[in-house]
Amino acid sequence: QKEVEQDPGPLSVPEGAIVSLNCTYSNSAFQYFMWYRQYSRKGPELLMYTYSSGNKEDGRFTAQVDKSSKYISLFIRDSQPSDSATYLCAMSAGAGGTSYGKLTFGQGTILTVHP
Amino acid sequence: EADIYQTPRYLVIGTGKKITLECSQTMGHDKMYWYQQDPGMELHLIHYSYGVNSTEKGDLSSESTVSRIRTEHFPLTLESARPSHTSQYLCASNTGNNEQFFGPGTRLTVL
């Protein structure tokens, strides 16, 4: 079983829709949670970064972390065609011990927002 | 946002050639990473470094090697490229807050 499981999609939504992207994980040592957006043939771009449980909002994006359920989500409000990309969740136990800040990624969800 | 650079962006090369993929960052980050990503697949860590003269193998076995002689520079080398090495290679570095930023990637094709 993978340490991080991400809803594979693909997702296709109309412009203006609310999008929900989700990941579950099994390693209770994870403390840092990230969402990346990756356009085709580009490197991942850091969208949201959260430490421990709670919510974080940035414009149209909201990240939620529930450590008790080992579940994280990314919500996109008022989705736009420019949001069409692959979204990757990633997690880290931090820089201490033997983790060295290494990230474990989900497999990614392809999102298409059509006009 | 970190400035992290990778060259070349695209490389097509014949079997048996030696290649070096360059990665550099200007932020003074200690921790740097190399990931491999096949089309439509997740990223897999192949090498990482937590400072000058330190390198470690990642979770995915790779025939490549890395070096870290300077903080800003973390090149990856394949001594003898094979078609199975065809993939996208992504370099990243960490801030002090464990935020990890990626370069644009090198898309390698071995014929």
Side-chain angles (χ1 to χ4, degrees):
Chain A
Q1 185 182 1
K2 294 181 179 180
E3 277 191 301
V4 179
E5 296 277 1
Q6 183 171 356
D7 292 348
L11 281 178
S12 180
V13 302
E15 184 174 355
I18 297 174
V19 176
S20 172
L21 304 166
N22 307 293
C23 289
T24 58
Y25 63 96
S26 57
N27 187 346
S28 57
F30 288 146
Q31 298 186 71
Y32 299 87
F33 304 91
M34 281 148 269
W35 285 96
Y36 287 86
R37 177 173 62 195
Q38 187 176 25
Y39 293 113
S40 180
R41 297 180 179 271
K42 304 282 188 184
E45 171 195 5
L46 182 62
L47 267 183
M48 299 290 283
Y49 166 83
T50 310
Y51 171 69
S52 196
S53 284
N55 295 356
K56 184 175 182 179
E57 188 173 321
D58 184 2
R60 296 185 294 111
F61 299 90
T62 300
Q64 288 186 351
V65 175
D66 182 348
K67 290 188 69 178
S68 61
S69 303
K70 296 189 176 65
Y71 189 88
I72 72 169
S73 299
L74 177 71
F75 296 95
I76 307 174
R77 291 184 300 281
D78 188 25
S79 56
Q80 303 294 310
S82 59
D83 295 329
S84 298
T86 298
Y87 289 80
L88 302 157
C89 64
M91 308 177 190
S92 166
T98 58
S99 61
Y100 296 112
K102 294 183 288 180
L103 290 181
T104 302
F105 282 84
Q107 56 265 57
T109 301
I110 298 173
L111 171 67
T112 302
V113 181
H114 50 86
Chain B
E1 186 173 325
D3 291 323
I4 184 163
Y5 308 98
Q6 290 186 245
T7 57
R9 292 293 315 279
Y10 302 93
L11 180 61
V12 180
I13 201 162
T15 296
K17 300 291 185 183
K18 177 180 179 179
I19 60 169
T20 296
L21 308 184
E22 301 289 348
C23 175
S24 60
Q25 48 93 7
T26 59
M27 305 301 288
H29 294 162
D30 287 326
K31 296 181 183 64
M32 297 187 73
Y33 309 83
W34 276 103
Y35 293 87
Q36 186 174 338
Q37 184 183 33
D38 293 327
M41 303 295 286
E42 62 215 85
L43 281 77
H44 291 286
L45 182 69
I46 52 174
H47 298 283
Y48 63 99
S49 167
Y50 43 93
V52 171
N53 294 326
S54 89
T55 60
E56 300 287 343
K57 290 191 177 295
D59 304 320
L60 181 69
S61 175
S62 173
E63 293 167 345
S64 58
T65 59
V66 292
S67 62
R68 190 86 183 277
I69 298 171
R70 302 198 314 266
T71 297
E72 63 270 21
H73 196 215
F74 190 38
L76 180 146
T77 298
L78 277 166
E79 290 292 332
S80 179
R82 296 206 301 269
S84 61
H85 297 139
T86 294
S87 190
Q88 174 157 262
Y89 293 84
L90 291 158
C91 181
S93 69
N94 265 22
T95 69
N97 293 330
N98 289 306
E99 295 167 287
Q100 194 160 120
F101 292 97
F102 283 81
T106 294
R107 187 169 293 275
L108 172 66
T109 302
V110 184
L111 304 175

